Each structure stands twice: as C-alpha cells, then as structure tokens.
C-alpha cells in the first residue's frame, strides 16, 4: 500500500484555475495507474482523469480540453491542472493509486469549490 496526500484545493471563481497535487509515500514507478476522482454532494464518485506508468492518459468527457493530468516520477507526485473551472466541477477530489493485484490506495481528498 502507498499513502497518498492531496493538496491544492480551494475556492476559485468560474473560469479560474487550480492545480491539485497528489504526493505518494514511495516511488510511483511501479504503480500501474494513478488517477483523480471526484465526488459531489449527493452524487457517486466518478473518474476525472488517469495516467498510466507509461504516460497514457484518459479523461472524463466533462473535463476534456480543460483538465490535464501529469506526473513527476522524481517527486513521486501526480498533478491535476484544472482550467476554465465551472460550478459543476465543485466536489471533493481524491487521488487513487492502483497497482494490479493489490487493493487500490486512496487519499483523504481535497475540496474544490467553484463559485462567484
């Protein structure tokens, strides 16, 4: 298991930007997929973006063209750059690390609120 700590959430106006960080307790080189999920009040947790160890990315349709996921293996950190934020992006954002054959790890979450 790897411990994950998210940071970078906060309050931002519509159209603004935020960068979330997910710091892992150990090297992420052996982790097959790392991802960002979000959960809004009264809704199920959903995948926002993921990135494989080889750098392949996947995005939810609702964030394509606005969000970018990238990783810095030297810092054991995965980032989510969020641009052109909308009120419907408001949610708690969670980092996830999945190594095949092991139980996925989750961070504690960071709140993102988009409001004027």
């Amino acid at each position: 298991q790897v411990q994950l700590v998210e940071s970078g959430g906060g309050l931002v106006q519509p159209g603004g930007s935020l960068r979330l960080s997910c710091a892992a307790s150990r090297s992420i080189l052996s982790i097959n997929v790392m991802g960002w999920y979000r959960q809004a009040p009264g809704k199920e947790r959903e995948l926002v973006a993921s990135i494989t160890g080889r750098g392949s990315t996947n995005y939810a349709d609702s964030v394509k063209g606005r969000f970018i996921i990238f990783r810095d293996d030297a810092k054991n950190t995965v980032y989510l750059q969020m641009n052109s934020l909308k009120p419907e992006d408001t949610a708690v954002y969670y980092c996830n690390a999945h190594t095949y054959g092991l139980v996925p790890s989750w961070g504690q979450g960071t709140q993102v609120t988009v409001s004027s």
Side-chain angles (χ1 to χ4, degrees):
Q1 286 276 342
V2 58
Q3 281 69 52
L4 305 171
V5 178
E6 302 99 332
S7 61
L11 173 63
V12 63
Q13 292 186 343
S17 297
L18 281 175
R19 178 177 291 185
L20 305 183
S21 299
C22 171
S25 59
R26 62 167 177 81
S27 172
I28 62 174
L29 291 174
S30 62
I31 297 175
N32 297 106
V33 184
M34 294 198 70
W36 286 96
Y37 290 72
R38 67 186 180 188
Q39 186 166 19
K43 295 188 176 182
E44 293 186 355
R45 190 173 297 189
E46 62 174 358
L47 176 66
V48 176
S50 63
I51 185 167
T52 70
R54 295 187 176 186
S56 296
T57 58
N58 180 53
Y59 296 93
D61 288 343
S62 59
V63 306
K64 282 181 181 177
R66 299 189 299 122
F67 290 11
I68 301 171
I69 186 171
F70 59 101
R71 56 195 287 163
D72 186 336
D73 291 341
K75 295 183 178 180
N76 300 330
T77 301
V78 174
Y79 303 91
L80 184 67
Q81 177 67 41
M82 305 187 295
N83 302 319
S84 302
L85 282 161
K86 305 175 181 180
E88 50 263 44
D89 295 318
T90 295
V92 178
Y93 284 70
Y94 297 90
C95 182
N96 172 276
H98 188 198
T99 301
Y100 299 154
L102 300 179
V103 175
S105 298
W106 292 92
Q108 82 288 350
T110 185
Q111 177 70 47
V112 172
T113 302
V114 184
S115 175
S116 55

